[in-house]
Amino acid sequence: MSMTTLPQEGSHQGLSVRGLCKSFGPIQVLTEASFDVRPGEVVALLGENGAGKSTVSNIIAGSLHADRGAITWQGKPYSPASPAQAIDAGIGMIHQELKLLPDLSVAENVFVGRMLTRGGAIDRARMNERASAQLRRLGLNVSPDTKVGDLRVAAQQQVEIAKALTLDAKLLIFDEPTAALGGDETALLFEQIRKLKAEGMGFIYISHRLEEIVQIADRIVVMRDGRVVARHEQGDIPVRTVVEQMVGRSVDRMFPTLDEPRPEVLLEVENLSSPARTFNDVSFSVRAGEILGIAGLIGAGRTELVRAIAGADPISSGKVTVAGKPVHLDGPAAAIKAGVVLVPEDRKGQGVVLDQTIGENLALGNFDHVAPGGWVFPKAVQKFAETGIRKLGVKGQPNQAVRKLSGGNQQKVVIAKWIARPPKIFILDEPTRGIDVGARAAIYDVIADLARSGMAVVVVSSDLEEVLGLSHRVMVLSRGRQRGILPRAEANNVAVMELATS
Amino acid sequence: AEAKKLGLAVANLQADFFNQIKQSVEAYAKEKGLEVVTVDAKGDSATQVSQVQDLITQNIDALIYIPAGATAATVPTKTAKAAGIPVINVDRNAAGAPGDTFIATNSVASAKNVCDYIAKQAGGKGELIIIHGQKGTTPEVDRSKGCGEALAGYPDIKVVGELWSEGWHQDEGFKLTQDLLQSHPNVSIVVGQADALALGAAQAVKVANLGHKVWIAGFDGDVAALKALKDGVFDVTATQQTQGMGRLAVDSAIKLVAGEKVEPEQLQDATLTTKDNVAQFIEKHP
Amino acid sequence: MSSKPGSADLSVSAGEPRAGGLKPLFAALFAGAKGPLIGLILLCLVLSVSTDTFLTVRNILNVLDQITVLGIMAIGMTLVILIGGIDLSVGSILALGAMVLGYVVNPDYLGLPIPAGIAAALLVGGLCGLVSGLLVTVAKLPPFIATLAMMSVARGLANIITDGSQIVGFPDWFTNLSIVRHFGFISVTVGVMIVLGVIFAIFLNYRATGRNLYAIGGSPEVARLSGIPVNRLTNWVYAVCGVLAALAGVVLAARLDSVQPSSGFGYELDTIAAVVIGGASLSGGVGSIGGTAIGVLIIGVLRNGLNLLGVSPFIQQIVIGVVIALAVAADTWRRRAK
Amino acid sequence: MSSKPGSADLSVSAGEPRAGGLKPLFAALFAGAKGPLIGLILLCLVLSVSTDTFLTVRNILNVLDQITVLGIMAIGMTLVILIGGIDLSVGSILALGAMVLGYVVNPDYLGLPIPAGIAAALLVGGLCGLVSGLLVTVAKLPPFIATLAMMSVARGLANIITDGSQIVGFPDWFTNLSIVRHFGFISVTVGVMIVLGVIFAIFLNYRATGRNLYAIGGSPEVARLSGIPVNRLTNWVYAVCGVLAALAGVVLAARLDSVQPSSGFGYELDTIAAVVIGGASLSGGVGSIGGTAIGVLIIGVLRNGLNLLGVSPFIQQIVIGVVIALAVAADTWRRRAK
Ligand SMILES: Nc1ncnc2c1ncn2[C@@H]1O[C@H](COP(=O)(O)OP(=O)(O)OP(=O)(O)O)[C@@H](O)[C@H]1O
Ligand SMILES: Nc1ncnc2c1ncn2[C@@H]1O[C@H](COP(=O)(O)OP(=O)(O)OP(=O)(O)O)[C@@H](O)[C@H]1O
Ligand SMILES: [Mg+2]
Ligand SMILES: [Mg+2]
């Protein structure tokens, strides 16, 4: 394990973090964390869900305060009392959870808190122009007057990135900026980062997509359970090594072996179209024990499609049959009753009630199982929750508020919720967004187990490796239309991308 | 000129007293073949100013004005007069800008009668509590004054507690009395400054189960209260001549429009009403 | 705060109930209202010391009587606020319910038996609530506007029934419901309030539908995606709130032995205040019947106490404002001290 | 609804203003209030046809006079609601401001010149608002509770000044401010309301601080992370709302030529209603002065029109409820039709 000794703090013009400690109540989430970020370099901060990456970042960005430890920034002691002070000092951050204002325009979101003015009045033209330019560089072509709430998640993420990039910052912290992005958007982002790097800007880069790290990181800091367990002086460390350091054991394989599907068809989708034509005339079927992957570029209509199948959005025409019985798609309740469940894409807005506990979230929608005769016994809920927590390895207690979980653990709660029913059709939209490698392997195992137990599973993912590694067959969507279904043997990067861009 | 259309600006139709006057004005005007446009200020003088403006816009020939708010506002009267419309003030008059005539009950004198009666009935001694109306309003001030004058003649009657309601409501009368009886269980006289308050007080006395007679006085002579009085729920009230005042207001309006002279003040007596004479008022409200 | 994994957490905090675990009844009941509870206790202590009448059985029974109407309405309002709504129409529905009762049973009008009158009142209240609910779920009006409209309409209807006059006189057995104290201490109306409170507390804590209301308040979208019939439950909640408001009207009728279209004016603010003082959040998802009970009691005890002290009405207004602010702020301080 | 990249989007809708170009003033002003605007226009049309007095210059000037008090308060309330707050104390602060004015200028009391009285009134109003703001930002009270407490305290203070009595009589030039119509049509008080409306519309649309209020309402957390001084601005907003409520009290004093401690009772609901009818969301971040103007006008025109039609008061209550619901529902239908 490489653990270089750190230079004297403040010995360079960048950021030195020394011995940061932080507890939430009785739990210590950060123990003696130390590392450096020098001007003009990208430091990747890696670690499992709940390792403390966001916590240390929030302390640097002024939205949390350390219990102990010191930070030096540009040679001077630095302890921001508020995000405003951090921004003034030249340190900005993109938070893991989207921090946008849905009712304001794209341009206003980009410049919130530091609107451009001329003669005391807001200079909309200049704000629009600069926001547009920055967004175009990131590959997003929307009017800067669009309300952010009207954008899909990926575009919102890009707005968030644009917001950070237009900051007049010397150090930027990116907490999982690419979780919602596709390959092209990510490449464009890296291009921006490299350019700014050349201008002397420093970056802390957090991601669970380890393949990105090789491309962008100059150095790597690995955290586990709130401690820095490794520091690498170069970015091209074998993924295997990093993973071992992150999870404290070796992860021998990522994807599980898949069993042969059973012959009977469980899910039959025929000529499904949405009113807004975000998907059009889509037909496919999934057999019991089969995993169907749905691939496509961002905005291909995958989310809309699976939401419609789960009854969350209306359709304009078409038919969905589950186990030979047609489903009336008039709301999620009907779909759930018919055995169709969905793990939605936007976990914060659609997956969990943030202010409720893990136990309550798991029980929600499952009372027909947890509460015999409609009576909710706390013990039954507790047991149910413990089972779900154990199965998915959620780092938390049934009585803990979901808001206080790390992002990855929140995602696990959403998946855990539906497992116990058990449903017939299990649909997962971006199931491993923001989930660490170790847990990801665990989730893949769970998904394979679901199939093995006889469910039909549908997995939507922008992570091509994931779709390919996990699916019996891969359906590719492009601009709302079904471009083909590839069997496992024929599904590879090139074939899928070809269809996706057609 | 001949009156065709009357404007009626009521202080607050949720108070039975005002509602009675309104019903009387409307009924009597219909008899006389006049149109009446009624507006209800719901107790707010600013609203009433707006409403009077609206009435004037409709070219009313005369305004019957029952001022809303704690005390009479002058602006409606001024505005109407500026538009050449005669104003008949009912119940309250504004010091700075009196109406062409003022129709009201002589509150001070009537309240004095009521308190005098109840004091006498109680044998001129005992503990007394007062449930006031909304503090600072004209009727509250006048009725307190009248009652105070009467009680001055009964040195053996001790006022042991008084509380103020915020909106003359019956449930307030109930609660306030209940709370006062807590500290003063020996009370033998309750003065409610309005029938609603008295009825609430009566209910509180009933609930308290004090074991001795408590004399209860009200004021106004609300239709419903008179029935209760007959049933012995409480003991005395002063019946204001709501019907009479309504008719008088319409007659005055007709006269004023026709250019005839009307007395600037037409004070009505409120009749002391007890179980003995209540039947006639239930039969036909004065 | 959250307990360490595996460690025995002995301190039970009301703020974050142990949902999965054995949720102590006390914690569940007063979730989020520990500060106000402290406030209430302090208030009672101060009044017990400063007056010799406050802490008498009779006075306490009086306070219970006095809060019945507010208490019953506050139960319905708790449900509405839990799902992230608000109901401004309760005061008007109270008046409408009472007037319907009076109209149906008074010999001068329909003269039917009391039970018929009560049924009619509750039905009308429920219908009003249902209309509010439909305005929210179908016409997509903000609850504030939907119930503001209903507030105006219901008040108008209450007035029209008798052209604004009151109706006096009910049979003795009916008014006795709020007067005669059974078992030496409890009147039927107070009993009804307590029973309703217990039923709804159980419903909210131990029935699946009750838990679902919390989820709706926490996030209607998540609830919908979890298969909860959000719109249907929303309609029900407003309807139940309407029924309870009308029931409060019936109780008021028994209490006053009369009904009047002006009653309940301004009660909406009192009711909402009671629920919010009790720790509920107007953005939904947080609140409890126990908390509401505390809120109702704070308001009731405060008014009663100030009257016992003979405080002048204007000073009362100031004291009430200050005490309400302090009672709720106590919760902030308590959390901060932790 | 994002416009297709590259395609020329010619339809300019108010809800989703046009890309890139100058945000049309109209769209910005009435953002989110197109439905109510349609409602207002329909209302005016119906009244113009059904009465021969509604569409007269005199009546329109009357309506403007009548809405001044509500309009001025609604401007402050718009700011408060924009940042996700609510202010229940405006009616009481109005009364307190008016009483302070009366106390300072009336010869029976201090007898100082009117400008001193106005300054004192605005100062007291601002202080009350500031206290509400501090209760929200420092004591962390929910705005509903903080301003409910202030509502009670301010009313108490207003009453105490003269022990509940009114103060009558101001110099003629003062009352003329609301009576004399300059340039043949506009009184000073109406002028003040319009100027304030324009100033605050500009502030909200074109000043960075104004836009920051939208950000705070959208998400205080995001605003804080973006370096916006959330607490400071929140305090300011409540203070400004207090100042405007006191100013409304001054206007009312000129209008009534007297001040009374009971005035403004229940105005909080009217004011909040006007803002919400105008398309603002009680959860914050959405709303505009233009929308509020429409809300205020709908309430004003409705009351005026029903009086002109001679509709009986009880029926009026029903009609007002129905029209408010319809006006706001129009927005739902408009969106759905799209
Ligand atoms: N406000 C809070 N209160 C209590 N515990 C918290 C709070 N915020 C975070 N935690 C806990 O602190 C630990 C570290 O969380 P953090 O968000 O820093 O993890 P992370 O490394 O960013 O994980 P992920 O990759 O899932 O985002 C977690 O166990 C989390 O549950
Ligand atoms: N909230 C929204 N408002 C308007 N258009 C939307 C919205 N969400 C999605 N769209 C549009 O619908 C289409 C399909 O989007 P969808 O989110 O289903 O795509 P996806 O393939 O799931 O991509 P993603 O990776 O973003 O989830 C896109 O053209 C997108 O612009
Ligand atoms: Mg994180
Ligand atoms: Mg998607």
Side-chain angles (χ1 to χ4, degrees):
Chain A
M1 205 171 276
S2 73
M3 193 67 156
T4 51
T5 44
L6 289 168
Q8 171 83 37
E9 55 176 295
S11 60
H12 54 82
Q13 280 303 297
L15 183 85
S16 316
V17 175
R18 292 294 178 274
L20 283 196
C21 296
K22 173 78 187 170
S23 303
F24 289 112
I27 321 168
Q28 181 147 16
V29 297
L30 222 50
T31 313
E32 297 284 336
S34 307
F35 58 88
D36 283 308
V37 185
R38 285 182 280 265
E41 68 172 9
V42 176
V43 173
L45 194 53
L46 304 180
E48 278 185 297
N49 295 133
K53 307 180 295 292
S54 298
T55 306
V56 80
S57 307
N58 280 320
I59 292 172
I60 298 170
S63 49
L64 282 179
H65 303 289
D67 299 338
R68 254 178 324 113
I71 310 178
T72 11
W73 167 235
Q74 296 182 328
K76 286 191 279 291
Y78 165 80
S79 62
S82 67
Q85 284 186 15
I87 291 171
D88 287 345
I91 295 183
M93 173 167 177
I94 296 187
H95 292 265
Q96 187 171 13
E97 310 296 342
L98 286 174
K99 302 279 187 195
L100 294 169
L101 302 157
D103 290 311
L104 292 192
S105 74
V106 167
E108 284 179 327
N109 266 282
V110 168
F111 289 102
V112 64
R114 51 198 174 90
M115 304 252 178
L116 307 178
T117 54
R118 197 172 58 193
I122 288 182
D123 192 347
R124 283 218 161 73
R126 201 151 58 92
M127 271 169 38
N128 283 353
E129 192 187 304
R130 281 188 53 186
S132 286
Q134 186 57 260
L135 285 169
R136 262 199 308 279
R137 267 177 259 142
L138 292 169
L140 182 65
N141 252 323
V142 294
S143 146
D145 273 333
T146 316
K147 258 171 58 176
V148 159
D150 291 336
L151 297 177
R152 64 206 145 76
V153 178
Q156 294 189 357
Q157 181 69 267
Q158 288 170 300
V159 171
E160 182 86 63
I161 294 171
K163 179 168 145 189
L165 290 180
T166 47
L167 273 180
D168 209 6
K170 287 270 157 292
L171 177 77
L172 277 183
I173 305 170
F174 280 7
D175 196 351
E176 292 196 50
T178 54
L181 297 188
D184 291 348
E185 290 83 0
T186 305
L188 286 167
L189 169 63
F190 286 175
E191 210 170 280
Q192 294 295 306
I193 292 182
R194 289 197 193 95
K195 207 184 94 210
L196 291 168
K197 208 169 81 167
E199 291 167 12
M201 197 189 278
F203 290 89
I204 295 175
Y205 189 90
I206 300 172
S207 178
H208 288 295
R209 295 186 171 177
L210 298 182
E211 72 278 4
E212 290 176 351
I213 302 304
V214 188
Q215 299 172 40
I216 195 72
D218 297 309
R219 296 192 301 118
I220 295 176
V221 174
V222 183
M223 295 184 69
R224 188 168 73 232
D225 294 336
R227 294 169 196 277
V228 171
V229 292
R231 282 184 287 265
H232 300 284
E233 285 304 320
Q234 69 274 24
D236 51 350
I237 303 294
V239 168
R240 215 188 146 75
T241 317
V242 178
V243 169
E244 258 169 40
Q245 290 169 341
M246 278 169 61
V247 298
R249 66 185 154 84
S250 67
V251 175
D252 40 5
R253 53 157 187 90
M254 206 61 196
F255 296 103
T257 49
L258 300 179
D259 289 2
E260 265 309 296
R262 301 176 197 176
E264 75 266 25
V265 170
L266 264 191
L267 174 67
E268 178 92 55
V269 175
E270 291 164 79
N271 310 104
L272 214 59
S273 299
S274 77
R277 298 283 174 247
T278 43
F279 58 88
N280 205 349
D281 199 20
V282 175
S283 304
F284 64 89
S285 61
V286 189
R287 285 184 287 164
E290 188 181 31
I291 303 174
L292 176 78
I294 302 183
L297 299 181
I298 280 178
R302 299 162 299 172
T303 296
E304 312 265 325
L305 173 65
V306 292
R307 273 177 63 87
I309 295 172
D313 288 335
I315 54 166
S316 60
S317 63
K319 199 169 115 190
V320 173
T321 317
V322 172
K325 272 188 258 151
V327 188
H328 280 286
L329 288 178
D330 58 355
I336 290 169
K337 216 164 152 231
V340 184
V341 299
L342 169 72
V343 172
E345 174 180 48
D346 172 12
R347 87 170 94 82
K348 221 174 108 185
Q350 302 168 353
V352 283
V353 185
L354 284 169
D355 286 318
Q356 292 200 332
T357 65
I358 299 180
E360 283 171 309
N361 269 285
L362 291 179
L364 180 61
N366 284 323
F367 282 126
D368 42 350
H369 290 248
V370 189
W375 289 102
V376 182
F377 293 106
K379 265 208 171 124
V381 174
Q382 166 107 1
K383 240 177 83 195
F384 182 80
E386 276 168 357
T387 314
I389 287 173
R390 193 158 8 88
K391 266 195 184 150
L392 268 285
V394 180
K395 275 193 192 158
Q397 298 292 302
N399 62 326
Q400 216 171 331
V402 166
R403 183 183 287 283
K404 293 185 176 165
L405 292 184
S406 76
N409 279 306
Q410 292 179 357
Q411 180 73 6
K412 291 183 197 168
V413 171
V414 191
I415 299 178
K417 165 167 152 177
W418 292 128
I419 285 186
R421 294 189 66 85
K424 294 196 183 75
I425 317 290
F426 211 107
I427 306 175
L428 304 101
D429 195 355
E430 311 283 1
T432 59
R433 179 171 286 175
I435 291 198
D436 71 55
V437 267
R440 202 182 303 173
I443 286 175
Y444 295 150
D445 284 343
V446 170
I447 293 175
D449 277 344
L450 295 176
R452 217 166 279 135
S453 70
M455 293 179 206
V457 181
V458 176
V459 177
V460 174
S461 177
S462 301
D463 183 341
L464 209 48
E465 197 197 346
E466 178 172 300
V467 190
L468 296 175
L470 196 59
S471 320
H472 289 98
R473 290 183 297 148
V474 177
M475 177 168 90
V476 185
L477 286 189
S478 162
R479 280 177 278 132
R481 289 196 172 269
Q482 179 181 349
R483 302 291 165 179
I485 301 186
L486 304 171
R488 189 175 177 83
E490 292 166 30
N492 57 48
N493 272 350
V494 181
V496 171
M497 282 319 285
E498 223 161 61
L499 289 176
T501 51
S502 66
Chain B
E2 194 190 336
K4 291 200 188 70
K5 193 176 191 181
L6 301 183
L8 172 61
V10 189
N12 188 0
L13 281 182
Q14 303 294 359
D16 191 64
F17 171 66
F18 296 131
N19 199 22
Q20 290 291 327
I21 296 180
K22 173 216 165 206
Q23 286 171 357
S24 157
V25 166
E26 285 180 347
Y28 187 63
K30 200 168 168 198
E31 228 170 83
K32 295 263 168 188
L34 300 176
E35 185 189 344
V36 181
V37 183
T38 309
V39 289
D40 173 17
K42 299 204 191 79
D44 182 50
S45 39
T47 305
Q48 196 163 41
V49 173
S50 301
Q51 290 176 334
V52 170
Q53 274 184 337
D54 293 344
L55 289 175
I56 294 169
T57 307
Q58 292 187 71
N59 300 317
I60 52 167
D61 300 308
L63 172 67
I64 301 176
Y65 172 42
I66 313 179
T71 34
T74 54
V75 175
T77 320
K78 282 188 192 158
T79 323
K81 284 196 168 167
I85 297 168
V87 181
I88 299 96
N89 270 50
V90 178
D91 190 50
R92 301 174 200 179
N93 211 358
D100 293 289
T101 182
F102 173 48
I103 300 169
T105 299
N106 191 339
S107 285
V108 180
S110 305
K112 190 173 172 192
N113 287 343
V114 168
C115 286
D116 198 48
Y117 174 86
I118 199 102
K120 213 172 276 157
Q121 289 295 313
K125 60 179 186 331
E127 292 188 0
L128 179 146
I129 56 175
I130 305 176
I131 311 298
H132 289 263
Q134 189 186 351
K135 192 167 183 180
T137 57
T138 310
E140 191 266 339
V141 172
D142 285 355
R143 291 173 197 181
S144 300
K145 186 163 169 241
C147 193
E149 285 172 11
L151 293 179
Y154 298 89
D156 291 339
I157 290 180
K158 223 174 102 204
V159 179
V160 292
E162 40 191 331
L163 286 173
W164 284 259
S165 102
E166 280 172 22
W168 305 87
H169 296 303
Q170 192 169 338
D171 55 338
E172 289 180 296
F174 189 131
K175 268 185 215 167
L176 297 175
T177 309
Q178 207 170 32
D179 289 340
L180 281 172
L181 289 180
Q182 243 4 277
S183 319
H184 312 287
N186 297 324
V187 161
S188 56
I189 312 171
V190 182
V191 174
Q193 289 194 338
D195 282 347
L197 296 174
L199 283 174
Q203 192 75 356
V205 167
K206 189 169 162 194
V207 173
N209 233 336
L210 296 172
H212 60 262
K213 166 75 185 167
V214 176
W215 297 88
I216 301 168
F219 201 99
D220 283 346
D222 290 349
V223 176
L226 292 179
K227 288 183 196 156
L229 185 66
K230 182 166 163 246
D231 297 340
V233 173
F234 70 116
D235 304 287
V236 59
T237 189
T239 304
Q240 302 201 66
Q241 304 183 22
T242 51
Q243 302 297 314
M245 285 198 272
R247 284 194 299 269
L248 185 59
V250 175
D251 283 335
S252 305
I254 295 171
K255 279 189 197 156
L256 284 168
V257 175
E260 292 170 43
K261 243 186 89 69
V262 178
E263 285 298 309
E265 255 190 17
Q266 313 185 64
L267 289 189
Q268 311 292 303
D269 275 333
T271 323
L272 189 75
T273 312
T274 63
K275 211 167 176 171
D276 302 332
N277 63 350
V278 70
Q280 65 187 85
F281 297 138
I282 293 175
E283 185 73 19
K284 191 166 177 292
H285 203 279
Chain C
M1 298 283 150
S2 53
S3 59
K4 220 174 188 162
S7 76
D9 181 6
L10 291 176
S11 73
V12 175
S13 89
E16 301 89 29
R18 310 184 49 167
L22 255 182
K23 200 168 178 179
L25 191 69
F26 177 82
L29 259 182
F30 298 112
K34 225 180 179 182
L37 180 58
I38 297 169
L40 176 62
I41 293 170
L42 281 180
L43 190 62
C44 290
L45 282 180
V46 169
L47 289 173
S48 308
V49 173
S50 55
T51 72
D52 42 1
T53 38
F54 177 77
L55 206 66
T56 58
V57 175
R58 209 175 75 191
N59 187 53
I60 296 199
L61 295 180
N62 277 351
V63 172
L64 280 181
D65 269 348
Q66 291 171 0
I67 62 170
T68 327
V69 170
L70 181 61
I72 291 177
M73 286 202 297
I75 292 172
M77 189 66 82
T78 306
L79 303 190
V80 171
I81 288 179
L82 260 186
I83 62 164
I86 196 165
D87 192 344
L88 301 175
S89 65
V90 287
S92 298
I93 294 183
L94 174 148
L96 179 58
M99 290 309 290
V100 167
L101 170 71
Y103 184 80
V104 171
V105 307
N106 194 280
D108 295 348
Y109 300 91
L110 297 190
L112 298 179
I114 296 251
I118 296 180
L122 301 190
L123 185 71
V124 169
L127 280 178
C128 287
L130 184 61
V131 170
S132 296
L134 291 171
L135 286 175
V136 172
T137 55
V138 178
K140 304 280 177 223
L141 293 188
F144 187 92
I145 294 292
T147 59
L148 184 83
M150 180 49 70
M151 166 176 161
S152 196
V153 172
R155 179 70 65 191
L157 292 175
N159 273 313
I160 284 174
I161 293 178
T162 58
D163 197 23
S165 331
Q166 55 177 341
I167 302 176
V168 181
F170 287 97
D172 269 352
W173 71 263
F174 178 65
T175 46
N176 279 344
L177 293 179
S178 80
I179 296 175
V180 178
R181 291 186 170 149
H182 300 273
F183 315 116
F185 73 102
I186 212 162
S187 62
V188 173
T189 46
V190 170
V192 165
M193 171 183 73
I194 293 176
V195 168
L196 282 174
V198 170
I199 289 177
F200 276 94
I202 292 173
F203 167 74
L204 283 179
N205 270 303
Y206 296 109
R207 291 294 301 174
T209 314
R211 300 313 299 169
N212 286 344
L213 298 187
Y214 281 89
I216 294 177
S219 166
E221 178 64 3
V222 175
R224 191 180 77 94
L225 289 177
S226 302
I228 293 167
V230 175
N231 283 351
R232 187 146 53 82
L233 286 180
T234 302
N235 291 338
W236 268 107
V237 163
Y238 281 96
V240 166
C241 187
V243 170
L244 289 175
L247 181 62
V250 172
V251 169
L252 192 64
R255 223 170 121 66
L256 299 180
D257 193 17
S258 71
V259 294
Q260 45 225 304
S262 65
S263 52
F265 184 78
Y267 280 22
E268 60 283 349
L269 276 191
D270 268 5
T271 313
I272 297 168
V275 176
V276 178
I277 291 172
S281 153
L282 281 176
S283 43
V286 181
S288 63
I289 295 290
T292 297
I294 293 173
V296 170
L297 280 168
I298 286 184
I299 294 183
V301 166
L302 198 53
R303 299 221 170 119
N304 168 266
L306 292 174
N307 285 341
L308 293 186
L309 287 170
V311 177
S312 94
F314 303 147
I315 308 279
Q316 283 204 15
Q317 295 175 321
I318 295 178
V319 175
I320 288 177
V322 172
V323 171
I324 286 179
L326 285 180
V328 181
D331 213 52
T332 314
W333 291 321
R334 193 183 61 85
R335 277 169 211 270
R336 211 173 279 177
K338 271 191 138 188
Chain D
M1 309 268 166
S2 56
S3 55
K4 226 172 183 169
S7 76
D9 181 4
L10 290 177
S11 73
V12 174
S13 82
E16 301 83 29
R18 189 171 158 187
L22 269 174
K23 195 166 174 179
L25 190 70
F26 177 83
L29 259 182
F30 298 112
K34 223 181 179 183
L37 180 58
I38 297 170
L40 176 61
I41 293 171
L42 280 180
L43 191 62
C44 290
L45 281 180
V46 169
L47 289 173
S48 308
V49 173
S50 55
T51 72
D52 44 1
T53 38
F54 178 75
L55 207 65
T56 58
V57 174
R58 201 175 82 190
N59 188 55
I60 296 198
L61 294 180
N62 276 352
V63 172
L64 281 180
D65 269 348
Q66 293 168 5
I67 62 171
T68 328
V69 170
L70 181 61
I72 291 177
M73 286 201 298
I75 291 173
M77 189 66 84
T78 306
L79 304 189
V80 171
I81 288 179
L82 260 184
I83 62 165
I86 196 164
D87 192 344
L88 299 175
S89 65
V90 286
S92 298
I93 294 183
L94 173 148
L96 179 57
M99 289 308 291
V100 167
L101 170 71
Y103 184 79
V104 171
V105 307
N106 193 280
D108 295 348
Y109 298 93
L110 298 190
L112 298 178
I114 295 249
I118 295 180
L122 301 190
L123 184 71
V124 169
L127 279 179
C128 286
L130 183 62
V131 170
S132 296
L134 291 171
L135 286 175
V136 172
T137 55
V138 178
K140 304 280 176 223
L141 294 188
F144 186 92
I145 294 292
T147 59
L148 184 84
M150 181 49 70
M151 165 176 160
S152 195
V153 171
R155 179 70 65 192
L157 292 175
N159 273 313
I160 284 175
I161 294 178
T162 58
D163 200 22
S165 353
Q166 66 170 352
I167 302 175
V168 183
F170 287 98
D172 270 352
W173 72 263
F174 179 65
T175 46
N176 280 344
L177 293 179
S178 80
I179 296 175
V180 177
R181 289 184 173 153
H182 300 272
F183 315 116
F185 72 104
I186 211 163
S187 63
V188 172
T189 47
V190 171
V192 165
M193 171 184 71
I194 293 175
V195 167
L196 282 173
V198 171
I199 289 177
F200 277 94
I202 291 174
F203 167 74
L204 283 179
N205 268 303
Y206 297 108
R207 294 285 301 178
T209 314
R211 299 315 291 174
N212 285 347
L213 299 188
Y214 282 86
I216 295 176
S219 162
E221 172 66 4
V222 174
R224 195 180 72 88
L225 291 176
S226 308
I228 295 171
V230 176
N231 283 352
R232 188 147 51 81
L233 286 180
T234 302
N235 291 339
W236 268 108
V237 163
Y238 281 97
V240 167
C241 186
V243 170
L244 289 175
L247 180 63
V250 172
V251 169
L252 191 65
R255 217 169 129 66
L256 296 181
D257 190 18
S258 70
V259 293
Q260 38 199 293
S262 64
S263 54
F265 185 78
Y267 280 22
E268 60 283 350
L269 275 191
D270 268 4
T271 313
I272 298 168
V275 176
V276 177
I277 291 172
S281 153
L282 281 176
S283 43
V286 181
S288 64
I289 295 290
T292 296
I294 294 174
V296 170
L297 280 168
I298 286 185
I299 294 183
V301 167
L302 197 54
R303 296 210 174 131
N304 169 265
L306 291 174
N307 287 340
L308 294 186
L309 285 170
V311 176
S312 92
F314 299 148
I315 308 277
Q316 283 203 15
Q317 296 179 318
I318 295 178
V319 176
I320 288 177
V322 172
V323 172
I324 286 179
L326 284 179
V328 181
D331 212 52
T332 314
W333 292 321
R334 192 184 61 87
R335 277 169 211 270
R336 211 174 281 178
K338 273 189 138 187

